[in-house]
Amino acid sequence: MSTNGAVSSPSGRSFIDEPRAITAIETDMEYTILYGVACLSDTEVWTRGGNNMKMNLYNLRGELVKSIRTKSGNEPRDITVTKSGDLVYTDRDDRTVNIVKNTQIQTVIRLEEWVPRGVCSTSSGDLLVVMDSDDKQTKVVCYSGSTEKQNIQFDDKGQPLYSIGMDKYISENRNLDICVSDRDARAVVVVNQAGKLQFTYTGPPSTTKGSFDPCGITTDSQGRILISDKMKYRIHILDQDGQFLRYIDKCGLDHPWGLCVDTRDNLFVAERYEGRVKKIQYYM
């Protein structure tokens, strides 16, 4: 299902009738599975894959610009890029969050009872990390450098905001809401900057319960939330209040996973089994 005709956004920017793939980046075939993509600039993207310790930087021509190996030799579980252009990755196996400055890797967060999963860099330069614990809890923690600033774990009724199990991905929206793709719950959970639940999205009203399979998540300059729906081969676009706006489902996507947007709101999609990153235009 796609919308017909251009749809105006509250800020005046319109969707194009049919989003289109304008570039395809073929990544190193060492990636048996391609999971993540993070925009360094409008012309270069970082990638990460499964069962692979390398994070590769590609330009839009598909040329390998740089390759970084994790300090531990483990697979990175998620990647993000800071405002200053540094690569950050989580290492689930040694329970660390690491930053790459040039080619030097610094461990900025080392956990004991918690395991880091998704990570994103915020507009203020902080890091948001989704993590779960040995005793079956999940929370989001905001860090300034190595200093813990905030924990987000429960709603107003004391109930857990997030499920246990499976990787979770995270993005900060323009309005400072914190958006988490919770695969095990088959939902996207959005809280405000103070950690108060704003909404939970499980698909548009016509969605069969449990059929939504959210993976990657990102937000754009219009405050739109974009979520990859792996098993349906499409991207959901929501407004910042959780209202479904449209799908991106006509670009030949194959098991879409990681997402990021550049400064012009072009969407980059990591296709899990194809080892390909597609750049998609969806605004006029």
Side-chain angles (χ1 to χ4, degrees), residues 58-129:
Y58 292 93
N59 62 28
L60 295 183
R61 295 185 296 275
E63 297 166 340
L64 180 62
V65 177
K66 186 186 295 186
S67 186
I68 299 289
R69 294 174 182 265
T70 60
K71 184 191 287 189
S72 65
N74 299 323
E75 172 190 333
R77 299 308 295 189
D78 198 16
I79 55 174
T80 189
V81 175
T82 68
K83 288 175 63 177
S84 57
D86 296 321
L87 177 66
V88 175
Y89 70 90
T90 56
D91 188 323
R92 182 186 67 181
D93 296 312
D94 75 356
R95 305 185 182 219
T96 60
V97 180
N98 305 273
I99 188 166
V100 182
K101 291 183 175 291
N102 298 316
T103 57
Q104 299 300 310
I105 300 176
Q106 303 171 14
T107 297
V108 291
I109 300 164
R110 185 174 295 278
L111 304 170
E112 293 184 2
E113 298 178 358
W114 294 83
V115 176
R117 292 186 178 272
V119 63
C120 76
S121 180
T122 72
S123 56
S124 64
D126 293 336
L127 290 175
L128 292 169
V129 184

Side-chain angles (χ1 to χ4, degrees), residues 35 72 82 96 113 131 160-161 222 250 269:
Y35 280 124
S72 65
T82 68
T96 60
E113 298 178 358
M131 58 184 72
L161 287 164
Q222 307 297 298
K250 302 291 186 184
V269 183

Side-chain angles (χ1 to χ4, degrees), residues 165-211:
M166 290 196 179
D167 284 332
K168 296 173 178 63
Y169 302 102
I170 187 166
S171 183
E172 181 192 57
N173 207 350
R174 185 178 67 171
N175 63 356
L176 305 183
D177 280 354
I178 299 166
C179 312
V180 172
S181 171
D182 189 336
R183 290 193 64 213
D184 209 44
R186 302 274 181 169
V188 170
V189 180
V190 176
V191 302
N192 65 16
Q193 188 181 18
K196 182 178 176 61
L197 181 64
Q198 300 300 289
F199 63 86
T200 298
Y201 173 81
T202 56
S206 60
T207 304
T208 303
K209 185 176 181 180
S211 66

Side-chain angles (χ1 to χ4, degrees), residues 34-37 215-217 228 255-260 267-271:
L34 179 64
Y35 280 124
V37 61
C215 294
I217 188 166
S228 59
H255 292 88
W257 200 281
L259 303 177
C260 67
L267 175 67
F268 290 80
V269 183
E271 294 183 306

